[in-house]
Structures are given as C-alpha cells and as structure tokens.
Amino acid sequence: QVQLVESGGGLVQAGGSLRLSCAASGRTFSGYAMGWFRQAPGKERAFVASISSGGGTTYYVDSVKGRFTISRENAKNTVYLQMNSLTTEDTAVYYCAGGRGPTPSRYYYSYGYWGQGTQVTVSS
C-alpha cells in the first residue's frame, strides 16, 4: 500500500518561509505526478501545485505563483513545497497527493493517494 508522510509545517510570521516535505513509499515514485492541496477552515480543498513524474513540468494556482516552488527528488522518493513570502491567507492544512499517472493536474480526482495533512499557520 502507498504511504505519504509529510513534515515541515508549523507557525511562521507573515513574510517568512517554510519548506514542506512529503516522503512516499509503497509504489514506484518516479513514475507518477505529485501535488499539493490545501484546505482552510470552512472552505473546500483547493489545488496549490503539481509536478510531473520526471519533474520537468509544474503548475501552480495563481495566488502562489512567484512565491511557492514545487520540486522532487526521485532518488529520495520525496516531493517538496518551498513557500516564501507567506501571508495570512496561506494559513491552511496542506496535503500531499500522489497522482494516478505521470501527468500533473489541478483536479483532486487525478490523485489516488493522500498524506495526513500538516498545519501551516501564518501570523500577522
């Protein structure tokens, strides 16, 4: 079975940075796209970023372009989300997602595996 283990969440001041990590096991990691989603209290789960199986193609929601960077190290079975210039609107539970194939997607149904979620709180 596939397991996704997240780390790196926490409390940070506005303008600061965090790097989230997601380590995968139980599948051939290098063959699948990966993504990050987030969910704020009372809101729907929303797409943040995705990356193709080989790391050559990335997509971002407009609100994080220029601030967030998704990357992966296939040799370590790990995907990252570097978050810079954080604002209070970035406060949410962040979820790592494993794709059903190699192509990145902003749609939740393109992902068959999910991490447990990690809280990111940005203070003003």
Side-chain angles (χ1 to χ4, degrees):
Q1 60 182 1
V2 174
Q3 292 184 329
L4 303 177
V5 180
E6 301 166 335
S7 61
L11 176 66
V12 65
Q13 288 183 287
S17 299
L18 285 173
R19 189 178 76 161
L20 306 183
S21 299
C22 174
S25 63
R27 76 190 302 199
T28 305
F29 176 80
S30 62
Y32 299 90
M34 298 291 291
W36 289 95
F37 289 72
R38 64 187 180 185
Q39 186 168 20
K43 295 187 176 182
E44 298 289 329
R45 177 176 49 186
F47 169 77
V48 178
S50 65
I51 187 167
S52 60
S53 59
T57 303
T58 57
Y59 295 106
Y60 301 90
V61 67
D62 286 347
S63 60
V64 309
K65 287 181 179 178
R67 299 190 298 121
F68 290 12
T69 302
I70 187 171
S71 62
R72 65 193 297 161
E73 294 185 48
N74 286 347
K76 296 183 178 180
N77 292 341
T78 302
V79 63
Y80 306 96
L81 186 68
Q82 178 67 46
M83 304 185 293
N84 298 327
S85 301
L86 286 162
T87 76
T88 57
E89 293 186 351
D90 297 315
T91 295
V93 177
Y94 284 70
Y95 296 92
C96 176
R100 300 181 186 275
T103 303
S105 171
R106 69 184 181 93
Y107 301 109
Y108 78 91
Y109 52 75
S110 296
Y111 300 89
Y113 305 96
W114 297 87
Q116 77 283 358
T118 185
Q119 178 70 47
V120 172
T121 303
V122 184
S123 62
S124 61

